[in-house]
Amino acid sequence: MKDTATEPLLGRSVERIEDAALVSGRGQFIDDLPVATGTLAVAFVRAPHGHADIKSVDVTAATRAPGVAAVITGQDVTRYIRSMTVGVKANVECWPIAVDRVRYVGEPVAMVVATDRYLAEDAADLVEVDYSPLTAVVDPVRALADDAPVLHQSLGSNLINERRFRYGDPETAFDAAPHRIGIDVTYPRSACTPIETYGVIARYEPGEDAYDITANFQGPFSIHAVVARSLQVPGNRLRLRTPPDSGGSFGIKQGVFPYMILSGVAARIAGAPVKWIEDRLEHLSASVSATNRQTRIEAAVEADGRITALDWDQIEDCGAHLRAPEPATLYRMHGNMTGAYDIANVAIRNRVVLTNKTPTGLNRGFGGPQIYFALERLMDTIARQLGLDRLDVIRRNLVPADAFPYRTATGALLDSGDYAAAMARAVDEGGLAELYARRDTARAEGRRYGIGFACVVEPSVSNMGYITTVLSSEERAKAGPKNGAQATATVAIDPLGSVTVKVASVPQGQGHRTVLAQVVADKFGLPLDAVRVLADVDTMRDAWSIASGNYASRFAPAVAGATEIAATRLRDKLAKVAASQLNIGASDVTFDAGRIGAAQNPDNSLSFARVAATAHWSPGTLPDDVGQTLRETVFWTPPELEAPTADDGINSSLCHGFIFDFCGIEIDPDTAEPRIDRYVTMHDCGRILHPAMVDGQVRGGFAQAVGAAFLEEYAYGEDGSFRSGTLADYLLPTVMEVPEPVILHHETPSPFTPLGAKGVGEGNCMSTPVCIANAVADALAPEGDAPNIVLPVTAAKLAPLIHGEEPEPKEPVPETKAEATSGGRKLTGEGRALVQASREDVWKMLLDPATLDAIIPGSHGVQKVDETRFKADVTLGVGPVRGRYKADIELSDLDPPNAVTLSGQAVGALGTGGGHGRVTLTDTGDGTEITYRYEAEIGGKVASVGGRLLDGAAKVVIGEFFRALARHCGGGAGNGPIARLRGLLNRIAKGGRT
Amino acid sequence: MPRLTKDEKPAVRFTLNGRAVSPEAPPRMLLSDLLRHEIGATGTHVGCEHGVCGACTVQVDGAPVRACLMLAQQAQGCDIRTVEALAEGPELSPLQAAFREHFALQCGFCTAGILMTLDALFASQPEADEATIREALSGHLCRCTGYAPIVQAALAARNRIKGGPIDA
């Protein structure tokens, strides 16, 4: 029996079948799907503090607001669900919404369900939450200190898990080695930030106690179990569906699951279906990010650069809650802690720490960037300290080509590769010699130019058991073994004999449907468009398992492989059916050009559709051993993915691709701006199924890595305030920042996957950040000790390294006293105003609530509490963001009628503010000069989204206050009858309103 | 433009992809929300709602505009084109076809905005050089492709439009 005689589709860059709809505006993303009439919108009230106790939540006003169906607090939610499962043994609760304490800015505190999103957000502003702020901790090392504020009292500290591992004999290796070389590495927080945000549509059927949830969730579907358990229903009472299209994920959309739970509860309480589409501020502040990590890595090194042992000490920051599947970021690479190198002895200490930042989750590269940044910076350091060529150090340590399949010290089984050959080809075809020449020329001209290298093993198809490596072997024995990576595929034939493929791969834009059509069309000898593919999931209808979904680069190796197996099984059965109809042997049957026929006699053939549909129309004519040919569902799990061994060895992934990158970077001598001159990336991802899609994955991962290397960081103040809440603060690379890399391929098929393919999507997120860092280090210091490089490598960070620290200004700005609550956005300013009134009159006005109400910009009323205390209700805006605040104002240091200090605290839906100012009144003869000096600090949403505008906005608002005072007195800068008239009208208008 | 109070919901009369429409919209409703949720033209996508990502770009009287930064009521009397108008009948436009041929999209979420910007660019500057094209694209964020295929598709489309019928 032969496969199709025409040129196979697989391996060719056919046009994507997804694209005609997507370029025409006919995609079916979550927010495009039709919803039931009467579906309500959800808006969230979120924490403005990084760490605070919730004293009370008053929903009275919000409940009465127009269009509101329900206002739901964290306490309400706890009546319907239980705490989400945590992946380590620890006495800690993990709720999807804050219950009695908020632990990161943006944490959900309440939900408002209303007839539309505009009304829901209006009402969310009316929910009054009384917080008692606590000291926050955002740095994972500080979070471990004895005196650090503890996020979860039940844990007793912020250390939620610690494990030590020992493989081989690291102590002896370190003792025997002539060199012990180590570095400390700080890896920051960033995220791959899809352009489409989270979205959930949920309904609840009380008659069956069943939730029906559609979300742009990407998997893994092990999370289905987490959600069902939290909702306290059996798995069959949680129908989870995904939309046909998803606007990118890169891991991030795994993190939508707490909102699946919350939306389900909201639908249940509101008694109607609900829909929630996350906005960008919500996404940046409260979806998920990658982990930030502090690492100490040391190597035992021979004189020639050969490494005999590694010692890792990793402190992983998972944010405020350890959400499933964390701490997976720390353990996904556990089998690969030796990278591409043959190192027999390894010691590892892993600590998982909680801080007042957004909980972490899946993110492209998942654990790889953090590991390889440390390991490849170490390789660079070893070469520097021993005076060796950096490529020689890499070469001497590579896993040799004849060693595959190679078992790493920590348990991974590297499936295939020829690392040295791939590297040699990259050096040659990527033009490294020319790049060295460019560097020499640049340096001869006094320019700062560096070359960096990175060598990476890229794991794909995660072992569902790797996360259990976080448990001790005793705990694992008690819980039962976890392992495998079930992939599923169904190939079905309808009564007209056409072919449908269903998989649970949940693509987020990668073109899965096209590749599967290639696989199956080839198998049946059909044209590409004869095969229809569905890749979205409905857990009540489709074949799926916990490993289903779109993560760990599992599509090409696992899902396409399972599809290949299903199509082959069906084809073999159809060959038997055809053989009986054509009166030939099954081994003589060919599938080609839409027909099934005899290999030796082209005239003896039948249409594919006719043979394929036989089982529908005349099942009685099928050969006895065929069964049916209607549908073939395959579940495939690779036997190599075993549970962790008793001594903590873990084959954490099935496939291991190889990447070798090098790049040239020049640092601008004036601006210190780093620029990529040339970037070369060599990939061995096994057999390539669709070359253009593979290169698309490489370019996409590379661009995100360029962002992580140069631009992106989730920025937090020490008080936990979040400072990168817009895409103008969290900078993503544009077409101007992303050069086109030189992409090279070296194919060594995987022996462990049906098609020989390995994953390819994540590698550059692992290799590129450190390759760039190594090049920057080379540019800054060609020899000797390298500077500590912390991403993102911005001009602001590099400038002091090439220009020295910025000199103090000649006329120093007077330092104002800093208050204890440092970390927020600090604003200071001063100004003066002239008014045509006596000091006594101005003094009275400043103490009169009616006058204050008239002149405070955006005031909705000022109440006098006592002689020196006022309450005000004001609307303030910064840029496009406006919000209503409740302010407490206190007067102190009264020196009537000369001076007074005003102190205030304001709290609103947009955040918090506080400050104090000294106002001085001076008699000018025909009026009074008011001078003021203030210092204020702002946190919460305003600080997140309007940080760059705050200084200017504060000046405008405060200036407006004094101009209004001047107008009120009938004087000021705009002196004259018009100003007086305006003042009068202003008073009338205010009077008329109140 | 007339002054409206927040409880009013007057009709906005404008042309959408060549057809007259008059949906009702409260004063604060964004054009992006009107197009997507009131009219059902969901091809225009919303990525940030603060004018940075460019996903929601539509053409207003021929010029690319962020639909998330424009109030629905401001569309009164305008001629608005969205991605749904690019293809004439079942055939993709040269620009759309070039995006498909060059794999210039993956998830396709940002694509509508990019297409509308480039379509407006080539209408006004059929000879736009690569630097001009990159400048126009720099107002759009794409997280999937790394941009190189988008630039290639744009160059190919420009060449095809130039070489094709004048009104292409």
Side-chain angles (χ1 to χ4, degrees):
Chain A
M1 185 172 62
K2 290 198 324 184
D3 277 345
T4 173
T6 41
E7 192 191 348
L9 292 160
L10 208 60
R12 283 163 52 194
S13 295
V14 301
E15 286 189 354
R16 304 199 321 166
I17 57 182
E18 291 87 348
D19 287 351
L22 290 175
V23 297
S24 306
R26 296 192 304 268
Q28 298 173 71
F29 299 90
I30 181 109
D31 195 27
D32 304 340
L33 301 182
V35 293
T37 307
T39 298
L40 303 173
V42 176
F44 283 92
V45 177
R46 293 175 182 274
H49 300 284
H51 202 188
D53 281 326
I54 299 172
K55 291 198 288 189
S56 66
V57 183
D58 184 350
V59 302
T60 317
T63 308
R64 291 190 196 128
V68 170
V71 183
I72 302 160
T73 67
Q75 291 287 353
D76 297 335
V77 171
T78 61
R79 287 195 278 279
Y80 296 89
I81 68 170
R82 62 182 173 208
S83 164
M84 301 184 292
T85 308
V86 175
V88 300
K89 299 280 175 212
N91 179 21
V92 67
E93 292 185 335
C94 185
W95 297 96
I97 186 169
V99 177
D100 48 20
R101 180 182 279 200
V102 296
R103 296 180 176 88
Y104 62 97
V105 168
E107 182 161 20
V109 172
M111 291 186 280
V112 176
V113 186
T115 46
D116 71 45
R117 178 64 172 260
Y118 288 79
L119 294 174
E121 290 190 19
D122 285 349
D125 281 349
L126 299 176
V127 174
E128 290 186 26
V129 187
D130 192 6
Y131 295 100
S132 175
L134 301 164
T135 307
V137 61
V138 296
D139 178 79
V141 178
R142 279 191 53 202
L144 287 173
D146 289 341
D147 60 349
V150 172
L151 272 73
H152 297 268
Q153 296 304 323
S154 60
L155 280 177
S157 79
N158 297 314
L159 178 67
I160 190 167
N161 184 267
E162 174 168 9
R163 280 222 67 197
R164 289 171 190 266
F165 302 90
R166 187 175 169 277
Y167 303 93
D169 188 354
E171 299 83 2
T172 304
F174 272 100
D175 287 346
H179 302 283
R180 183 181 191 109
I181 298 173
I183 50 169
D184 290 288
V185 163
T186 303
Y187 201 86
R189 274 197 171 211
S190 61
C192 286
T193 332
I195 304 298
E196 183 198 41
T197 55
Y198 291 169
V200 183
I201 303 163
R203 61 191 306 156
Y204 174 73
E205 172 46 53
E208 292 186 85
D209 188 22
Y211 294 89
D212 188 341
I213 292 173
T214 303
N216 53 8
F217 175 66
Q218 62 142 45
F221 279 72
S222 52
I223 296 293
H224 181 276
V226 175
V227 173
R229 275 189 186 158
S230 179
L231 287 169
Q232 307 188 88
V233 292
N236 62 11
R237 297 309 201 265
L238 170 60
R239 181 176 192 173
L240 176 57
R241 296 190 254 190
T242 63
D245 293 304
S246 178
S249 175
F250 325 110
I252 300 296
K253 282 175 178 161
Q254 168 267 335
V256 70
F257 78 89
Y259 295 104
M260 292 166 16
I261 298 169
L262 293 175
S263 300
V265 172
R268 181 171 178 174
I269 292 176
V274 302
K275 173 174 168 177
W276 170 69
I277 302 294
E278 184 188 51
D279 71 26
R280 183 55 59 182
L281 172 60
E282 292 181 293
H283 187 84
L284 288 168
S285 62
S287 58
V288 287
S289 84
T291 63
N292 53 299
R293 190 179 296 177
Q294 185 67 36
T295 301
R296 171 79 191 168
I297 179 172
E298 296 181 350
V301 192
E302 302 290 334
D304 65 352
R306 180 92 183 89
I307 299 168
T308 54
L310 285 178
D311 188 346
W312 290 88
D313 187 347
Q314 307 187 95
I315 300 173
E316 177 84 325
D317 180 352
C318 284
H321 302 280
L322 197 67
R323 281 198 189 144
E326 294 287 32
T329 309
L330 189 56
Y331 285 88
R332 189 263 182 119
M333 305 296 296
H334 199 83
N336 307 110
M337 299 302 285
T338 46
Y341 309 121
D342 176 25
I343 303 170
N345 307 295
V346 181
I348 301 171
R349 180 187 190 192
N350 279 345
R351 281 173 283 179
V352 182
V353 175
L354 303 181
T355 63
N356 292 109
K357 303 206 291 284
T358 305
T360 57
L362 270 59
N363 187 61
R364 193 176 197 167
F366 202 48
Q370 295 90 333
I371 291 290
Y372 287 114
F373 196 87
L375 185 57
E376 295 301 297
R377 289 291 294 131
L378 177 69
M379 297 303 282
D380 187 60
T381 306
I382 290 171
R384 283 171 180 271
Q385 292 200 5
L386 300 184
L388 298 170
D389 179 84
R390 286 180 287 164
L391 279 186
D392 285 345
V393 174
I394 291 173
R395 283 194 196 102
R396 270 176 206 142
N397 286 289
L398 288 176
V399 173
D402 59 6
F404 293 95
Y406 170 89
R407 184 71 72 177
T408 68
T410 50
L413 188 61
L414 304 184
D415 45 338
S416 65
D418 186 342
Y419 298 170
M423 201 171 132
R425 276 190 55 205
V427 165
D428 183 28
E429 295 167 36
L432 180 61
E434 189 210 332
L435 205 61
Y436 277 133
R438 286 172 72 82
R439 183 178 72 175
D440 292 345
T441 305
R443 286 183 176 170
E445 293 170 2
R447 286 145 53 199
R448 290 178 189 273
Y449 191 108
I451 292 176
F453 301 95
C455 204
V456 156
V457 164
E458 176 184 2
S460 52
V461 190
S462 284
N463 184 345
M464 296 312 281
Y466 79 73
I467 185 58
T468 62
T469 317
V470 73
L471 305 174
S472 67
S473 61
E474 297 76 33
E475 286 168 336
R476 288 198 299 266
K478 205 171 154 192
K482 305 277 192 303
N483 71 296
Q486 287 282 9
T488 73
T490 297
V491 180
I493 289 170
D494 60 55
L496 292 179
S498 63
V499 181
T500 304
V501 180
K502 279 176 86 170
V503 293
S505 71
V506 201
Q508 313 285 312
Q510 298 100 324
H512 292 178
R513 294 170 58 215
T514 299
V515 175
L516 297 181
Q518 288 176 283
V519 169
V520 175
D522 275 351
K523 197 58 61 183
F524 292 145
L526 294 170
L528 187 72
D529 61 6
V531 179
R532 193 93 198 284
V533 183
L534 290 182
D536 49 303
V537 166
D538 176 343
T539 57
M540 289 300 282
R541 290 217 163 121
D542 298 329
W544 63 280
S545 180
I546 58 165
S548 296
N550 185 350
Y551 63 97
S553 303
R554 68 194 307 279
F555 171 74
V559 179
T563 306
E564 159 80 10
I565 295 170
T568 303
R569 282 190 196 161
L570 200 52
R571 184 202 59 184
D572 291 348
K573 286 186 182 181
L574 290 174
K576 287 180 183 169
V577 176
S580 75
Q581 293 179 0
L582 296 168
N583 288 319
I584 56 176
S587 59
D588 290 331
V589 173
T590 58
F591 291 71
D592 187 35
R595 299 191 71 79
I596 305 179
Q600 312 304 331
N601 178 9
D603 294 335
N604 187 19
S605 70
L606 294 162
S607 79
F608 174 87
R610 186 184 169 104
V611 177
T614 306
H616 282 287
W617 299 104
S618 49
T621 66
L622 295 178
D624 290 344
D625 59 344
V626 165
Q628 53 82 20
T629 64
L630 306 177
R631 176 179 287 251
E632 194 69 41
T633 295
V634 162
F635 284 82
W636 176 78
T637 184
E640 292 82 8
L641 293 185
E642 297 168 318
T645 61
D647 50 2
D648 293 321
I650 177 63
N651 187 20
S652 34
S653 302
L654 177 67
C655 303
H656 297 89
F658 175 73
I659 301 175
F660 174 69
D661 287 0
F662 61 88
C663 70
I665 285 183
E666 183 163 5
I667 299 173
D668 186 284
D670 298 321
T671 65
E673 194 78 36
R675 183 186 62 83
I676 298 176
D677 181 39
R678 183 180 174 84
Y679 198 101
V680 177
T681 183
M682 162 60 88
H683 284 252
D684 183 351
C685 63
R687 184 179 168 202
I688 292 173
L689 307 183
H690 188 296
M693 283 190 207
V694 165
D695 285 357
Q697 287 297 313
V698 171
R699 282 195 209 95
F702 171 73
Q704 289 178 327
V706 166
F710 290 125
L711 298 170
E712 300 175 30
E713 183 174 14
Y714 276 179
Y716 286 86
E718 284 178 19
D719 61 349
S721 59
F722 183 64
R723 296 173 171 184
S724 45
T726 75
L727 294 179
D729 301 278
Y730 187 82
L731 296 178
L732 308 184
T734 73
V735 68
M736 298 304 196
E737 287 82 38
V738 185
E740 175 149 26
V742 177
I743 303 171
L744 302 169
H745 295 288
H746 185 85
E747 288 186 53
T748 52
S750 173
F752 300 157
T753 67
L755 291 165
K758 306 181 183 186
V760 72
E762 299 179 83
N764 283 88
C765 288
M766 306 180 187
S767 60
T768 298
V770 67
C771 186
I772 288 172
N774 282 342
V776 168
D778 187 42
L780 291 171
E783 287 171 356
D785 290 345
N788 180 26
I789 307 284
V790 179
L791 301 181
V793 187
T794 59
K797 277 186 191 156
L798 293 180
L801 299 174
I802 66 175
H803 297 309
E805 291 294 334
E806 195 172 349
E808 291 295 320
K810 287 186 188 122
E811 289 177 34
V813 180
E815 197 76 22
T816 42
K817 265 185 251 168
E819 293 298 311
T821 57
S822 65
R825 294 268 188 181
K826 184 144 282 184
L827 312 169
T828 57
E830 55 188 22
R832 58 197 206 101
L834 286 168
V835 297
Q836 290 190 333
S838 68
R839 275 188 300 174
E840 287 73 14
D841 286 348
V842 174
W843 183 263
K844 275 184 210 150
M845 288 177 195
L846 284 176
L847 269 59
D848 172 40
T851 310
L852 287 174
D853 182 36
I855 63 177
I856 291 174
S859 174
H860 302 285
V862 175
Q863 290 174 316
K864 194 167 182 172
V865 180
D866 58 34
E867 282 308 307
T868 58
R869 289 194 299 152
F870 299 90
K871 280 190 178 297
D873 184 4
V874 294
T875 295
L876 292 175
V878 176
V881 183
R882 301 188 75 78
R884 201 153 167 167
Y885 289 82
K886 290 205 179 306
D888 292 307
I889 301 161
E890 187 163 7
L891 306 177
S892 57
D893 299 334
L894 280 81
D895 176 15
N898 300 314
V900 60
T901 295
L902 287 95
S903 313
Q905 292 292 327
V907 179
L910 291 178
T912 57
H916 55 90
R918 182 76 175 164
V919 178
T920 311
L921 308 179
T922 314
D923 194 345
T924 62
D926 61 341
T928 301
E929 185 190 46
I930 307 171
T931 56
Y932 56 92
R933 174 177 277 213
Y934 62 87
E935 186 178 300
E937 206 168 58
I938 292 183
K941 194 188 284 182
V942 169
S944 301
V945 304
R948 288 156 292 106
L949 308 172
L950 281 177
D951 256 324
K955 283 193 178 75
V956 168
V957 170
I958 291 166
E960 178 64 24
F961 172 82
F962 286 104
R963 275 194 298 281
L965 178 67
R967 283 201 299 273
H968 201 77
C969 299
N975 203 348
I978 295 174
R980 282 167 197 272
L981 183 61
R982 197 183 291 140
L984 182 65
L985 290 173
N986 196 32
R987 259 176 286 176
I988 293 168
K990 291 274 182 179
R993 197 202 58 201
T994 47
Chain B
M1 174 169 184
R3 200 171 175 83
L4 301 170
T5 63
K6 73 181 172 65
D7 297 322
E8 284 179 83
K9 203 178 171 187
V12 201
R13 293 173 202 286
F14 62 99
T15 306
L16 177 62
N17 299 331
R19 296 171 68 170
V21 293
S22 52
E24 293 176 351
R28 65 176 172 172
M29 179 174 278
L30 304 177
L31 178 61
S32 50
D33 284 343
L34 180 83
L35 292 172
R36 292 182 48 76
H37 301 308
E38 302 301 314
I39 297 176
T42 55
T44 301
H45 296 147
V46 174
C48 74
E49 290 183 297
H50 50 261
V52 178
C53 79
C56 67
T57 303
V58 299
Q59 291 171 10
V60 178
D61 297 331
V65 165
R66 306 288 210 234
C68 77
L69 293 186
M70 184 167 159
L71 294 170
Q73 288 292 344
Q74 291 176 295
Q76 197 78 249
C78 293
D79 180 16
I80 293 183
R81 283 182 86 224
T82 66
V83 67
E84 285 94 340
L86 287 180
E88 288 189 16
E91 289 295 310
L92 297 180
S93 74
L95 181 62
Q96 292 170 306
F99 266 61
R100 181 166 69 177
E101 283 165 30
H102 290 268
F103 304 95
L105 64 153
Q106 288 180 27
C107 79
F109 197 78
C110 68
T111 310
I114 291 174
L115 292 173
M116 297 318 287
T117 288
L118 289 175
D119 182 75
L121 175 69
F122 294 146
S124 62
Q125 296 184 58
E127 311 277 339
D129 62 9
E130 182 173 335
T132 307
I133 289 170
R134 284 178 176 273
E135 184 71 30
L137 288 173
S138 71
H140 291 270
L141 295 174
C142 167
R143 257 331 215 178
C144 296
T145 63
Y147 301 105
I150 296 178
V151 175
Q152 284 160 15
L155 289 168
R158 177 203 62 189
N159 294 342
R160 202 170 305 171
I161 294 166
K162 267 199 303 188
I166 302 301
D167 61 350

